[in-house]
Amino acid sequence: MTTTTLLLVAALLLGVVWSGWGDQDVAGADVHRSDTARSSPFRANVRITQVGDHRIAWYERGSGPPLLMAIGTGSTMAEWDPALLELLARERRLILFDYPGVGRSSRLRDGRTSFAGLADTAASLLEKIGLPRADVLGWSMGGFVAQQLAIRHPRAVRRLVLAGTNPGGDAAVLGPPADQRIDSDPNPSDAAALRVLYPRTRAGREEGRAFLRRLDRASDTGEIPDDFEVPDATVRAQVRAEDPWLRSNANAEALASVRAPALVTGGRQDPVVPSLNARRLGDLIPDARVRLLPGAHAFLFGDRERFAAVVEGFLGPA
């Protein structure tokens, strides 16, 4: 099973070109809120922070308890639905970041990656920017990273939200091979990618096109970074990292050690990560609740009002 490659659809339909990563360097003491008054349009202020061997690009939006957001395969921090971010940022300080080898972060040094390594990077980033503890939301491959973060760095995770992801090993349930091939393709057609992200109905196709229009507008106004590049080599490295994830039961077994309360969500029509995965994650994590919503792999975008309300109700006050 592989996870969603949004950037390729966005690049094909929107014609967004990467402009290179910035030269800002940020230490924890320099962090300040980038969100402006509600009457002013939000503009993403991308920072670059040294984390181990990598320079990690990130930005924040909103105020309140922090929520780290880990996105899926082959995607940058610019590819969260702006409409969903606007809803979540009403009560949360969102922390959005690019994995090593993605977007404005520095390139992969040896052409390899792992979900444990990405979780370690995320924990170090939080510490570097002065957030030793945060809520964490992981979607698709980002859900693998979020699970590993809760397992490897339990003190860093207050509450855990998983969306459209699986536990790995024998407990993972894969979608049809044709949909898996679309999702792992570094260069899918726009129609093919939307086919796995949104329901295969007229309404679903229109919602997918509306999502791309929102990305286009947000990129033009600076609401999201003008940042959609992920090298094919990085996508292939992320896809390769899923082989040991699916062959080993180590992650699924380690979920019994997770002490953070968890909300596990899934799309009822998800062809990439069938909703049975949410049920299995709910059984494996000691303090977990499961909520299924209408939609396919991008259910959290298509049904964003309900998703944001469910997440906010679960996270509650810090």
Side-chain angles (χ1 to χ4, degrees):
M1 194 282 296
T2 61
T3 45
T4 309
T5 307
L6 291 173
L7 74 118
L8 297 161
V9 188
L12 284 167
L13 294 191
L14 307 179
V16 177
V17 179
W18 181 54
S19 59
W21 44 279
D23 59 0
Q24 305 100 316
D25 201 358
V26 179
D30 297 328
V31 175
H32 63 272
R33 296 292 169 83
S34 58
D35 206 9
T36 55
R38 290 186 181 273
S39 59
S40 302
F42 173 79
R43 293 184 64 85
N45 176 23
V46 176
R47 323 290 191 79
I48 305 291
T49 295
Q50 190 73 34
V51 178
D53 293 335
H54 291 97
R55 290 166 60 87
I56 299 300
W58 64 282
Y59 77 99
E60 61 181 284
R61 176 171 185 171
S63 61
L67 175 61
L68 179 76
M69 300 184 64
I71 202 165
T73 303
S75 298
T76 75
M77 61 183 171
E79 294 166 86
W80 291 101
D81 190 329
L84 174 62
L85 297 183
E86 183 178 5
L87 292 170
L88 293 175
R90 291 175 181 173
E91 303 293 338
R92 303 281 150 189
R93 178 187 175 189
L94 309 182
I95 308 296
L96 305 105
F97 69 106
D98 281 339
Y99 301 123
V102 171
R104 301 192 191 189
S105 290
S106 57
R107 305 294 186 182
L108 289 177
R109 293 188 178 277
D110 58 4
R112 293 183 296 176
T113 192
S114 71
F115 306 130
L118 294 178
D120 292 347
T121 296
S124 295
L125 174 64
L126 286 174
E127 185 176 2
K128 279 289 190 80
I129 65 178
L131 294 173
R133 186 173 172 86
D135 296 320
V136 177
L137 189 162
W139 174 43
S140 200
M141 187 200 83
F144 303 165
V145 177
Q147 291 172 62
Q148 281 289 293
L149 185 56
I151 291 166
R152 295 170 66 85
H153 303 275
R155 294 181 180 179
V157 180
R158 190 188 77 99
R159 289 192 169 225
L160 178 65
V161 180
L162 301 175
T165 192
N166 76 53
D170 296 337
V173 181
L174 306 184
D179 294 323
Q180 298 299 315
R181 285 193 295 272
I182 291 171
D183 196 51
S184 62
D185 186 351
N187 295 288
S189 69
D190 52 352
L194 289 180
R195 182 176 172 83
V196 298
L197 290 175
Y198 290 91
R200 295 165 188 179
T201 62
R202 175 180 289 183
R205 289 191 293 272
E206 176 51 37
E207 180 57 41
R209 290 190 289 267
F211 161 64
L212 293 175
R213 290 194 295 270
R214 290 193 294 273
L215 283 183
D216 196 15
R217 288 193 300 269
S219 178
D220 286 345
T221 62
E223 183 180 353
I224 60 174
D226 186 6
D227 176 15
F228 289 89
E229 179 175 303
V230 181
D232 285 0
T234 298
V235 179
R236 289 192 292 269
Q238 292 178 348
V239 171
R240 283 195 302 271
E242 296 187 10
D243 290 336
W245 177 268
L246 292 171
R247 287 197 306 267
S248 170
N249 289 324
N251 183 81
E253 292 171 354
L255 289 174
S257 69
V258 171
R259 293 296 173 258
L263 170 66
V264 185
T265 63
R268 291 194 182 97
Q269 294 83 40
D270 190 339
V272 179
V273 185
S275 60
L276 181 56
N277 287 286
R279 301 287 189 194
R280 294 191 173 179
L281 281 163
D283 290 338
L284 290 165
I285 300 172
D287 185 4
R289 64 189 72 174
V290 176
R291 182 70 181 269
L292 300 181
L293 299 176
H297 199 49
F299 69 94
L300 64 171
F301 298 170
D303 200 15
R304 56 193 171 275
E305 294 275 357
R306 182 164 14 187
F307 178 79
V310 169
V311 169
E312 185 57 38
F314 168 70
L315 295 180

